[in-house]
Amino acid sequence: MGRSDIPQKSGNAHLVVGAEFGRWFDEAQAKATSEGVPLEELYWFLLELTDLDRLSLRLRAFQTAPTVPLKLPFPELVHRWEQRLHQRIPVQYLVGRVHWRNFSLLVSPAVLIPRPETELIVDLAVAAIQQVNSGPGLDDVHHWADLGTGSGAIALGLAAEFAQVVIHAVDRSSEALEVARANAALLHLHNRVHFYQGVWFEPLQPFKGRLAGMVSNPPYIPSPAISELEPEVAHHEPHLALNGGPDGLNCLRELVESAPDYLRPDGFWIVEVMAGQADWVAQRLHQRGYHQIQIHRDLAGIDRFVSAHCPSS
């Protein structure tokens, strides 16, 4: 699959004999076990690329079926699963989709795969929007920025929650923006999320001092540590979205320093960080004059997000 490919679900135009599919299924399970790939990934792979449901897979109902409908030719399905096993390509890229919050989002190797823990950043931002919009004189505050939008997941999550909020989503990668725009169109949110190619706040000059809030899941992995990540990440996810510089803090520094020029006084600021970075970010925010600084844990109990309000003057 090319880096700019956005796989689409198509009609079930391909068939394979049920018995042949059953023999492959047995082999695929055995190989997955031997390669340390969770069997749940094989099930999800097949749920996305065939017409089978979970119960049919578990009961092996396909074995007595004359044919099994597929969404791609059988040899291509077999090839993609081999890529999962031997090239360690993430299954989300192989099926071209990921389930995140209540969405089914398109993904390609041009974007990071949205993680479940990142869903919490939307909830935290939603709580901030509710608080801001209930404040005196702030009912007209509707512009937010999602910086480093990737697949558009966070921007679309915010737009889906608040009909009056306009999200300005920025990414430096044109290929990532292609995916994000496709997701916005599929979710019918393309009129509420505006996309810009550029670096951080740079494309948002017209909104200087006007943004009510900013969210970002920036690159935060230290450069030397990328090669030590699991191969699915290190070899296949875009390093542009991973590499945070020698100490992993380059982008976080930039966001701390530049946000006050673009956010309204007291505007909301929140980022995702890796384990061990939250205290440093909180200290930097304090030094820069931010207030109401908070560190938020993810569902695994890891300090995953830092939020604050911009200096009021």
Side-chain angles (χ1 to χ4, degrees):
M1 239 176 11
R3 293 185 63 84
S4 62
D5 289 347
I6 304 175
Q8 306 280 345
K9 282 190 175 180
S10 59
N12 299 318
H14 308 281
L15 300 173
V16 60
V17 175
E20 182 181 359
F21 182 85
R23 288 191 293 271
W24 173 81
F25 182 69
D26 290 338
E27 294 174 3
Q29 289 190 98
K31 288 181 180 179
T33 300
S34 67
E35 295 291 338
V37 173
L39 288 179
E40 185 59 31
E41 287 197 18
L42 174 61
Y43 277 80
W44 187 70
F45 176 81
L46 294 175
L47 290 173
E48 290 292 316
L49 296 180
T50 76
D51 242 12
L52 298 169
D53 57 28
R54 188 174 293 273
L55 183 61
S56 297
L57 285 170
R58 295 203 179 278
L59 296 180
R60 305 178 64 84
F62 49 79
Q63 285 189 309
T64 56
T67 58
V68 175
L70 310 177
K71 294 182 171 68
L72 72 176
F74 183 54
E76 175 62 18
L77 182 141
V78 173
H79 174 65
R80 290 195 190 185
W81 186 248
E82 291 295 319
Q83 288 181 303
R84 175 69 191 101
L85 297 177
H86 304 306
Q87 298 179 37
R88 311 303 289 194
I89 297 176
V91 69
Q92 294 90 338
Y93 289 154
L94 294 172
V95 303
R97 287 182 180 267
V98 64
H99 298 289
W100 192 82
R101 285 181 76 82
N102 58 335
F103 302 143
S104 178
L105 295 173
L106 299 172
V107 291
S108 83
V111 301
L112 286 182
I113 298 166
R115 267 61 172 183
E117 59 266 24
T118 303
E119 295 183 18
L120 182 57
I121 200 172
V122 176
D123 297 326
L124 294 168
V126 163
I129 293 172
Q130 291 173 329
Q131 182 179 11
V132 167
N133 282 355
S134 66
L138 292 180
D139 290 339
D140 62 337
V141 177
H142 300 303
H143 294 279
W144 277 61
D146 173 27
L147 304 181
T149 193
S151 66
I154 295 173
L156 296 168
L158 288 175
E161 293 286 344
F162 285 93
Q164 300 305 314
V165 173
V166 176
I167 313 297
H168 304 278
V170 178
D171 205 286
R172 66 192 306 172
S173 166
S174 61
E175 293 175 321
L177 289 172
E178 181 185 350
V179 177
R181 288 190 179 101
N183 280 321
L186 285 173
L187 297 173
H188 306 291
L189 292 169
H190 51 286
N191 293 327
R192 303 249 330 284
V193 182
H194 305 303
F195 296 99
Y196 309 79
Q197 185 174 2
V199 180
W200 304 129
F201 285 103
E202 287 178 1
L204 303 182
Q205 298 289 329
F207 297 95
K208 269 194 169 184
R210 296 175 53 198
L211 296 173
M214 179 219 82
V215 294
S216 183
N217 179 12
Y220 51 63
I221 307 296
S223 306
I226 291 178
S227 62
E228 300 172 8
L229 299 172
E230 57 188 7
E232 286 82 352
V233 178
H235 299 158
H236 299 289
E237 297 205 55
H239 286 200
L240 182 66
L242 295 170
N243 192 341
D247 60 0
L249 299 169
N250 282 2
C251 301
L252 292 164
R253 289 189 187 93
E254 172 65 23
L255 293 173
V256 171
E257 294 301 318
S258 58
D261 293 334
Y262 291 85
L263 296 183
R264 293 179 60 140
D266 207 37
F268 187 71
W269 185 100
I270 184 168
V271 298
E272 180 171 326
V273 299
M274 73 177 291
Q277 293 177 337
D279 287 338
W280 182 92
V281 173
Q283 182 179 12
R284 188 85 170 196
L285 289 165
H286 178 73
Q287 293 169 350
R288 188 66 173 78
Y290 291 73
H291 59 100
Q292 298 181 52
I293 301 165
Q294 296 184 67
I295 294 172
H296 309 270
R297 293 181 176 178
D298 63 18
L299 296 178
I302 297 170
D303 291 342
R304 181 64 63 189
F305 310 99
V306 184
S307 67
H309 288 261
C310 268
S312 56
S313 61

